[in-house]
Amino acid sequence: MNPNLDLSKAKYHDIVNENYDYAVLPWGATEPHNYHLPYMTDCYLAYHISIDAVEKAFSDNEIKGMVLPYVPFGAQNPGQLDYPFCLHTSYQTQFSILRDIVASLDRQGINKLFIVNGHGGNSFKSMIRDLAVDYPDFIIILIDWFAVEPQEPYFDIKDDHAGEQETSVLMYYRPDLVDLSVAGEGKRIPFKSASLNAGVGWTPRNWKRVSPDTGTANPKKSSAEKGERYAKAVVAKIAKLFAEVVKDGIYQ
Ligand SMILES: [Zn+2]
């Protein structure tokens, strides 16, 4: 029987005689996703992708990872934060959560952590650099699951937030939580500055100024079939990464 790889279901009895090679931390956000997706969309997507990738890495390569409970606290843009129940966590709060998880795992002898991020507004690189100073033997690898595989071959309309990519993948994993019949168009209103639109400079978009329905890409052509094809391609790449890092390390 497979070892238990999901901490939201595991009992101590399941794991007491197992040795785990690595841990996976899904990290999402709590925010509106157009009218048709749940607030916790980024958490559910990161969680399901993590579970599938850890199970595939075990079945393909017999390496054992544990998926930790997802963190639902994301960094939010202005405007979005004004909507009810949208929850913003500061850099310091997110860093404290990550640091405490690393400290816990480190004392338990688990020194490889993969963050599977589901929210575009989260940015962990500075935190990971800071933790590398304090924990030089602890490897943290960041994966933005939504950017692992190009969207073009799978979807008709490129996603930005709550569009075809996120909607399709959630329709695959959790069809009970998606109501496409109430979706808005996800119309994205660009900046006035063409240079900002072209990426010459960056500033967080005020969500109330860029979207009437909180979505910023059209989800109408979403389907569970598209989501399944895409999720499986993403999972295969992430499972391969797990295996390479765990079995061979990261340096020559
Ligand atoms: Zn999202």
Side-chain angles (χ1 to χ4, degrees), residues 29 31-33 37-43 45 118-120 145-146 159-162 166:
E31 61 168 344
H33 273 78
L37 295 179
Y39 271 67
M40 312 296 283
T41 292
D42 294 350
C43 303
L45 294 174
H119 176 61
W145 78 262
F146 47 84
D159 200 353
D160 181 80
H161 173 69
E166 283 194 307

Side-chain angles (χ1 to χ4, degrees), residues 116-222:
V116 174
N117 177 40
H119 176 61
N122 289 339
S123 98
F124 297 106
K125 288 183 183 174
S126 294
M127 302 176 198
I128 293 169
R129 287 196 179 90
D130 284 351
L131 287 164
V133 175
D134 295 333
Y135 295 90
D137 298 322
F138 196 108
I139 295 171
I140 304 174
I141 293 179
L142 173 63
I143 302 162
D144 288 332
W145 78 262
F146 47 84
V148 161
E149 178 77 0
Q151 296 185 33
E152 294 76 33
Y154 301 87
F155 303 109
D156 293 295
I157 302 169
K158 193 174 188 316
D159 200 353
D160 181 80
H161 173 69
E164 198 173 315
Q165 178 200 42
E166 283 194 307
T167 302
S168 296
V169 179
L170 199 62
M171 287 170 84
Y172 167 51
Y173 281 121
R174 296 298 305 269
D176 55 313
L177 297 177
V178 182
D179 183 0
L180 204 50
S181 72
V182 301
E185 288 179 18
K187 192 168 178 297
R188 179 168 71 242
I189 303 157
F191 287 114
K192 189 183 278 185
S193 160
S195 300
L196 273 179
N197 291 324
V200 176
W202 178 87
T203 188
R205 296 173 289 180
N206 183 309
W207 225 249
K208 282 192 165 160
R209 306 295 296 269
V210 301
S211 168
D213 53 28
T214 83
T216 53
N218 194 315
K220 296 287 170 94
K221 293 191 169 178
S222 303

Side-chain angles (χ1 to χ4, degrees), residues 213-241:
D213 53 28
T214 83
T216 53
N218 194 315
K220 296 287 170 94
K221 293 191 169 178
S222 303
S223 74
E225 292 72 29
K226 287 179 180 177
E228 178 175 9
R229 280 185 60 226
Y230 188 75
K232 285 184 170 163
V234 171
V235 163
K237 283 192 174 176
I238 296 176
K240 185 164 180 278
L241 171 66

